[in-house]
Amino acid sequence: MKAVVQRVTRASVTVGEEQISVIGRGICVLLGISLEDTQKELEHMVRKILNLRVFEDESGKHWSKSVMDKQYEVLCVSQFTLQCVLKGNKPDFHLAMPTEQAEGFYNSFLEQLRKTYRPELIKDGKFGAYMQVHIQNDGPVTIELESPAPGAAASDPKQLSKLEKQQQRKEKTRAKGPSESSKERNAPRKEDRSASSGAEGDVSSEREP
């Protein structure tokens, strides 16, 4: 699942000659649903969108408050073209969830937003319709979000990568351990043999690569 979140001072959706949704300050969310999205990805995206800190606080500090913190509005618009894959210069949308499945999934997404936030502050366009979406981007501020791939670990991928690298280093250290220990065990015998000849320096130099 992909989303493009824009901080706005105003946004609206018009179908034909009728304006069907309008918000003031808040965020406009363009949502692209993929074939593989499940309830897990849906819930992840709802959390990310509602907690994304794109607003300033009372003291003017930037990137401090979310749309929920500020009690602003949210306008959602389904946009399958976010799942585009280019074939040469031609857009291909085979990764997008088919319309008959996507509509129910999108409605579930809206329901989860309303359940998590204030339902009266959640607006949307008209699924499957040809829309004119008017966005007055504030900043401009535009953030791209993408849910983890289905089946991916629940942990942050970056954090998981760090843990994997740490584990690999530990395994390498353990692998080197026996050889280092054997060197240490062998060292006294070399030093003993060279003690009578006074060639301790020679023995140490032999152990250098």
Side-chain angles (χ1 to χ4, degrees):
M1 186 180 294
K2 297 180 180 179
V4 173
V5 181
Q6 299 182 66
R7 188 178 71 186
V8 301
T9 51
R10 188 179 187 279
S12 65
V13 176
T14 301
V15 177
E17 299 298 321
E18 180 187 2
Q19 185 180 87
I20 63 172
S21 287
V22 61
I23 65 169
R25 290 211 70 184
I27 56 176
C28 180
V29 180
L30 306 178
L31 188 74
I33 303 168
S34 82
L35 272 171
E36 298 182 335
D37 286 331
T38 66
Q39 183 68 21
K40 181 180 178 181
E41 286 73 51
L42 184 155
E43 293 175 358
H44 171 90
M45 189 61 75
V46 167
R47 286 195 304 271
K48 283 292 185 183
I49 288 170
L50 293 179
N51 290 286
L52 186 63
R53 296 186 294 176
V54 293
F55 299 98
E56 59 186 32
D57 63 15
E58 293 73 16
S59 65
K61 183 180 179 182
H62 296 291
W63 320 113
S64 299
K65 297 293 183 179
S66 69
V67 70
M68 288 201 300
D69 294 329
K70 302 293 283 186
Q71 294 293 290
Y72 288 158
E73 296 177 286
V74 180
L75 174 61
C76 291
V77 178
S78 177
Q79 188 172 357
F80 72 90
T81 58
L82 288 176
Q83 294 294 339
C84 165
V85 175
L86 288 180
K87 290 187 174 181
N89 293 321
K90 182 182 179 180
D92 179 272
F93 307 108
H94 72 276
L95 295 179
M97 185 177 287
T99 303
E100 55 274 13
Q101 298 172 246
E103 184 172 8
F105 194 91
Y106 177 68
N107 288 334
S108 296
F109 174 81
L110 292 173
E111 182 180 344
Q112 186 69 25
L113 277 176
R114 291 174 176 135
K115 181 179 177 181
T116 308
Y117 189 29
R118 293 171 54 188
E120 69 274 15
L121 296 181
I122 305 296
K123 308 291 177 64
D124 71 295
K126 186 175 181 180
F127 186 90
Y130 190 90
M131 296 174 277
Q132 297 293 322
V133 183
H134 303 272
I135 300 171
Q136 192 168 304
N137 196 315
D138 179 32
V141 172
T142 300
I143 308 293
E144 295 181 359
L145 299 176
E146 186 168 358
S147 61
S155 303
D156 180 2
K158 291 183 180 179
Q159 185 63 28
L160 184 61
S161 178
K162 289 180 182 179
L163 293 173
E164 288 175 344
K165 288 179 181 178
Q166 290 174 359
Q167 185 63 27
Q168 288 172 358
R169 284 198 293 269
K170 287 180 181 179
E171 290 173 356
K172 287 180 181 179
T173 300
R174 284 198 294 268
K176 290 180 180 178
S179 61
E180 291 296 326
S181 298
S182 63
K183 286 182 181 179
E184 291 299 325
R185 285 196 298 270
N186 292 334
R189 289 196 295 272
K190 289 183 179 181
E191 290 172 2
D192 290 345
R193 287 197 299 270
S194 62
S196 60
S197 64
E200 292 179 8
D202 294 336
V203 172
S204 65
S205 65
E206 288 173 1
R207 296 183 64 191
E208 295 294 331

